[in-house]
Amino acid sequence: NTQDVAFLNWIAEQGWKVDAESGKGDVSVVRSDNKVTPDLYRSGSIDGAWVPEPTASKLVAEGAKVLLDEGDLWPDGKFVITNVIVSQSFLKEHPKAVEAVLRASVAANRWIEENPERAKAAANAQLAADTGKALPAEVIDPA
């Protein structure tokens, strides 16, 4: 995922060597599903994580410490958290569909920026509907 690529890049910038496929090297990179990362951390199976929200805020709410905020590595704290990728053949065959997805993504992000409290409430309501449990304020607010 995007976080894996960012972490591997950061590791390389520190001068550490890690095989991108195996995750073995000067540090061990363990790939896991974000939903199990807090359990892995709690059990001591991993020492840290480079994860998206709300997993990062879940870890902090459970006592983990932020060692590095990726936003601090980028000008004005702006960086890619999701890449939208399409094959050239699909783009050639369905340019309007690709444009519609990109326009919708930009519009949704704009709405979120303009309506942060409503967006947070809507996201948490959907999480509750999907998982049966909303995130507590100490997780959803920073996430």
Side-chain angles (χ1 to χ4, degrees):
N1 64 20
T2 305
Q3 290 73 34
D4 186 61
V5 172
F7 184 54
L8 290 174
N9 182 67
W10 184 79
I11 286 172
E13 288 175 352
Q14 307 317 301
W16 300 328
K17 298 199 181 333
V18 173
D19 179 70
E21 285 191 40
S22 71
K24 296 180 182 186
D26 295 332
V27 297
S28 296
V29 177
V30 178
R31 277 91 179 203
S32 68
D33 190 321
N34 290 319
K35 66 183 171 193
V36 300
T37 301
D39 293 333
L40 294 173
Y41 183 76
R42 214 176 297 112
S43 73
S45 297
I46 60 173
D47 296 314
W50 190 300
V51 292
E53 293 292 359
T55 307
S57 292
K58 283 182 182 178
L59 290 167
V60 170
E62 293 181 13
K65 303 288 184 238
V66 176
L67 299 176
L68 176 71
D69 183 335
E70 187 177 1
D72 295 339
L73 302 176
W74 296 91
D76 299 321
K78 295 181 179 180
F79 60 100
V80 174
I81 59 169
T82 302
N83 290 302
V84 178
I85 299 170
V86 62
S87 70
Q88 290 298 311
S89 61
F90 187 87
L91 177 60
K92 187 176 180 178
E93 292 174 30
H94 307 283
K96 290 185 190 253
V98 173
E99 182 179 355
V101 167
L102 294 175
R103 286 188 185 279
S105 179
V106 169
N109 286 331
R110 185 177 304 119
W111 185 86
I112 290 166
E113 288 177 11
E114 293 171 357
N115 302 279
E117 291 303 313
R118 286 177 60 197
K120 180 173 55 175
N124 213 16
Q126 190 62 54
L127 285 169
D130 290 346
T131 67
K133 185 177 176 185
L135 294 174
E138 67 267 14
V139 174
I140 193 72
D141 288 345

